[in-house]
Amino acid sequence: SAVAWLAIVGLVLGPQLLGHSMFSYALRRVSATRVSVLILLEVPAASLISWVWLGQLPPPAAWPGLVVLLVGVGVVILGGRRGTAGMRSAPPEQLS
């Protein structure tokens, strides 16, 4: 039906084109590692949206996975920030 096709077009234009364009834009300012790890937050964000908008909680078996995912993303993002905070790059003549 026409309504179904409009929904498909909306899904393509919204999340696909806009979302991937935003990731490409972020790669200009943020490392690829950080962007790829942050993409993993789609799952907990979708769970939160489904809870708030639809009143649907994830099944209890999914909670440990969501927690591990959030902790892992936090470790990578915060650990990367701490690991490079005190580092300065050497001048090019000292690298060779």
Side-chain angles (χ1 to χ4, degrees):
S1 71
V3 174
W5 279 106
L6 284 175
I8 291 171
V9 169
L11 287 172
V12 169
L13 293 178
Q16 292 296 319
L17 295 178
L18 181 63
H20 289 282
S21 297
M22 291 172 63
F23 286 133
S24 297
Y25 179 75
L27 285 170
R28 294 182 190 160
R29 292 174 170 69
V30 181
S31 73
T33 302
R34 192 165 286 182
V35 171
S36 64
V37 169
L38 287 173
I39 289 172
L40 295 173
L41 292 177
E42 288 180 354
V43 174
S47 297
L48 180 65
I49 290 170
S50 71
W51 176 49
V52 171
W53 284 352
L54 304 174
Q56 297 179 351
L57 283 173
W63 284 99
L66 290 171
V67 170
V68 169
L69 186 68
L70 290 172
V71 169
V73 169
V75 166
V76 170
I77 298 300
L78 296 176
R81 188 177 299 160
R82 284 190 202 130
T84 59
M87 300 174 85
R88 284 190 268 173
S89 62
E93 61 272 2
Q94 291 182 356
L95 293 176
S96 43

